[in-house]
Amino acid sequence: MQSGLPERAGLLTRLQALPLWQVAFLLAACGALGVFALAPLGLFPLAWLVLGLLFAVWRGEVRPGRAAALGFAWGLGYFLATIHWVYISLHTFGGMAAWLALVCTTLFAAYLALFPAVAGALAGWLQRKRPGALSFCLGVPALFVLAEGLRGWLFTGFPWAGIGYSQLPVLGGWLPLTGSFGVTLLLAITVSVVLWRWRAGLLLAGVLLLGSWGLAHVRWTQPQGGPVAVSLLQGNIPQNIKWVRENYLLSLQVYRDQLAAARGQLVVLPETAIPSFLAQTPPEYLAELRTIAAKQGKDVLLGIALEGETPGAYYNGVVRLDQPQLTQYRKSHLVPFGEYVPVPALFGWLYRFMSIPLDGFSAGIDPQAPFALGGGKVAANVCYEDIFGNEFRVNAANATLLANFSNLAWFDGSWAAEQQLQMAQVRVLENGRELVRATNTGVTAVVGIDGSVRDRLPARTRGILESRVWHYTGATPYQRLGDLPVWLLLLIGVCVCILRKSKHVD
């Protein structure tokens, strides 16, 4: 054991004595267990175990290379398990050969695993320069969360399946204050303190749990007016036929019939519900939809592809049915390799092996004005835009209700839809606004102001979710400040550890 750390025997000592490949294999398996801490199973205590084992092997590990390798192994297992659905979109629906889809999925997971690897390398360096409680209980958690933040930003970012989301049931009360990265930090610090001094760690865990329970009873925002009836349409058009020309009329018929049957004042259709550009959709069909909505007094939001003002520009968008050219939302955070090709000179060759419709979207610009309908102001977000908390809050701040438009048929047979719903629940608590989600194949749901799923449709079924929502005004601390306070605290924490090292104070 390195100097500055309390001498201890048992599991930790035996782990550190094992060959690197054996510890790496154990960490990869442990990381893979993390998927069960997230939705749909939601076994949140597993996150403490999964993160705890990683921190345990990092404890006192002063060799940056070894610590990085262990962090990479853990991350590879964790991300292969949590983003396995990438294989489904590439092979089952993208037409890529199975072996190539497996290679691409593994390489993507390996890229994501680089972030805990970097955290491990820095954690090893920090503990070598300044071993002790402060470096392990503050420095290591701070480095882990900073790496998570980098993962959510670099190359447009991919913060999917952050381990902090698993703590929604027990630490959700902190979200309006700290956001999801703040909750991840609370989890990481508690785990490290438990490993250092278990009694102090359990005391800290109790304080955080009690604090979360108390904060959950604070209402940061206030309802505006009475309930509004909402209808969310789930057409359940399989992805393998959605963009086939011969099935185009099927989509038109399904959503026309559902709109006529919907009972809500606000009706929401999912992402690209109509598989054509707005300008190319039959005018008589759109006129029929407007007539149905007008006769029944419905406000309708429709997910559809939009052509831009310049040649070759088109957007994944949302329109208000009664004035589609005047009021539009254009998706601003696009999916790499799904909606656009990053660095075509390097990655353009991939598209020779798969077929993805509309893969050259342009990005909209934020902030965008909400839709004034349904008794309030509705902020739209499309597909996975609701996993970017700091960006999400920009448009949410100007709205009284949130609406997500998704087509997760690309990942049918996986847990991707449930994972995204869990992240949407976190966005509700961060922003103090209720949220409706209209999806093609699921999960179509309404998330209440307390972050719980009030109503939902079964996945892979065709139906209409009839529910009620409330508009809310006001702002949470997180909505006002975003992630900035957490990043400042993390940087200050790391700097304190480094400066303390230079003074040689234990």
Side-chain angles (χ1 to χ4, degrees):
M1 190 69 67
Q2 302 298 321
S3 61
L5 290 176
E7 294 290 339
R8 58 182 298 183
L11 178 62
L12 177 57
T13 303
R14 291 195 293 271
L15 279 175
Q16 292 179 330
L18 291 174
L20 176 61
W21 72 267
Q22 292 183 6
V23 184
F25 181 82
L26 176 63
L27 279 177
C30 181
L33 287 177
V35 70
F36 301 117
L38 299 166
L41 297 186
L43 304 177
F44 62 86
L46 268 180
W48 296 64
L49 174 63
V50 167
L51 195 60
L53 184 58
L54 174 64
F55 282 11
V57 297
W58 276 351
R59 177 177 175 175
E61 179 54 73
V62 299
R63 292 164 291 182
R66 181 181 171 95
L70 296 175
F72 180 83
W74 181 91
L76 186 62
Y78 183 78
F79 291 115
L80 278 175
T82 53
I83 57 96
H84 64 278
W85 38 263
V86 170
Y87 173 86
I88 297 174
S89 64
L90 294 177
H91 172 61
T92 305
F93 299 112
M96 182 179 283
W99 70 268
L100 184 56
L102 180 60
V103 169
C104 289
T105 302
T106 303
L107 288 176
F108 183 45
Y111 162 72
L112 298 176
L114 290 176
F115 294 95
V118 169
L122 293 174
W125 174 85
L126 181 62
Q127 292 184 100
R128 182 179 65 188
K129 293 295 184 180
R130 189 56 175 136
L134 190 66
S135 291
F136 182 72
C137 297
L138 177 61
V140 171
L143 291 169
F144 179 84
V145 179
L146 282 170
E148 282 286 274
L150 186 63
R151 174 167 72 91
W153 170 79
L154 192 64
F155 305 128
T156 78
F158 191 76
W160 190 282
I163 197 167
Y165 284 105
S166 66
Q167 302 306 296
L168 174 64
V170 288
L171 296 179
W174 293 98
L175 288 167
L177 289 171
T178 69
S180 61
F181 286 115
V183 167
T184 302
L185 178 61
L186 295 177
L187 169 65
I189 289 177
T190 305
V191 167
S192 62
V193 175
V194 167
L195 290 170
W196 190 269
R197 292 286 186 270
W198 67 269
R199 290 186 179 86
L202 293 180
L203 178 61
L204 176 59
V207 170
L208 292 178
L209 293 173
L210 185 62
S212 177
W213 177 83
L215 289 169
H217 291 80
V218 177
R219 285 291 170 257
W220 305 95
T221 55
Q222 304 76 41
Q224 173 184 279
V228 176
V230 62
S231 300
L232 309 179
L233 310 189
Q234 183 170 292
N236 196 40
I237 309 295
Q239 189 62 33
N240 58 345
I241 70 170
K242 179 180 174 69
W243 294 95
V244 177
R245 183 182 299 273
E246 290 75 16
N247 297 307
Y248 180 68
L249 293 179
L250 172 64
S251 294
L252 301 187
Q253 179 182 347
V254 166
Y255 286 111
R256 179 194 61 200
D257 294 346
Q258 288 193 331
L259 177 60
R263 301 194 302 270
Q265 176 187 346
L266 175 62
V267 183
V268 183
L269 284 71
E271 176 187 11
T272 58
I274 307 302
S276 60
F277 287 105
L278 176 65
Q280 298 173 357
T281 303
E284 61 274 14
Y285 175 75
L286 293 174
E288 182 181 6
L289 295 186
R290 284 193 288 269
T291 299
I292 293 172
K295 285 183 178 179
Q296 301 177 6
K298 300 171 181 175
D299 294 324
V300 181
L301 290 176
L302 167 66
I304 194 167
L306 307 171
E307 292 182 307
E309 293 76 21
T310 59
Y314 54 95
Y315 302 89
N316 193 351
V318 177
V319 299
R320 178 173 172 165
L321 183 62
D322 60 346
Q323 45 180 330
Q325 299 298 338
L326 296 179
T327 307
Q328 298 182 347
Y329 173 80
R330 297 176 174 184
K331 184 181 181 185
S332 60
H333 204 126
L334 304 179
V335 180
F337 303 104
E339 293 174 318
Y340 78 102
V341 184
V343 195
L346 290 178
F347 299 111
W349 63 272
L350 282 171
Y351 286 80
R352 299 200 303 268
F353 298 93
M354 58 182 175
S355 175
I356 296 180
L358 298 178
D359 57 9
F361 279 117
S362 304
I365 299 175
D366 285 333
Q368 298 184 49
F371 294 93
L373 43 62
K377 298 178 180 179
V378 183
N381 56 90
V382 177
C383 187
Y384 84 152
E385 286 186 310
D386 58 359
I387 75 173
F388 298 91
N390 203 53
E391 297 177 14
F392 186 93
R393 70 183 182 88
V394 174
N395 288 329
N398 300 316
T400 57
L401 179 67
L402 311 172
N404 177 264
F405 301 74
S406 289
N407 174 30
L408 298 174
W410 284 99
F411 317 113
D412 270 356
S414 74
W415 288 351
E418 297 288 350
Q419 291 173 358
Q420 188 177 358
L421 176 59
Q422 185 176 54
M423 288 181 270
Q425 293 175 260
V426 169
R427 300 289 89 83
V428 166
L429 291 174
E430 288 175 343
N431 292 278
R433 302 286 190 275
E434 296 198 334
L435 181 144
V436 298
R437 301 185 74 242
T439 69
N440 177 21
T441 57
V443 177
T444 296
V446 174
V447 182
I449 195 64
D450 61 352
S452 65
V453 178
R454 181 184 301 143
D455 294 298
R456 62 180 288 168
L457 284 178
R460 295 171 142 184
T461 60
R462 183 170 297 166
I464 304 171
L465 179 61
E466 303 285 1
S467 187
R468 297 188 302 169
V469 294
W470 279 260
H471 293 277
Y472 278 81
T473 59
T476 64
Y478 179 81
Q479 192 182 79
R480 295 182 188 277
L481 300 174
D483 292 324
L484 181 60
V486 172
W487 301 140
L488 289 176
L489 286 173
L490 290 172
L491 291 174
I492 290 172
V494 172
C495 288
V496 166
C497 293
I498 294 174
L499 291 175
R500 187 169 180 262
K501 168 195 71 72
S502 65
K503 295 177 182 179
H504 299 284
V505 177
D506 196 303

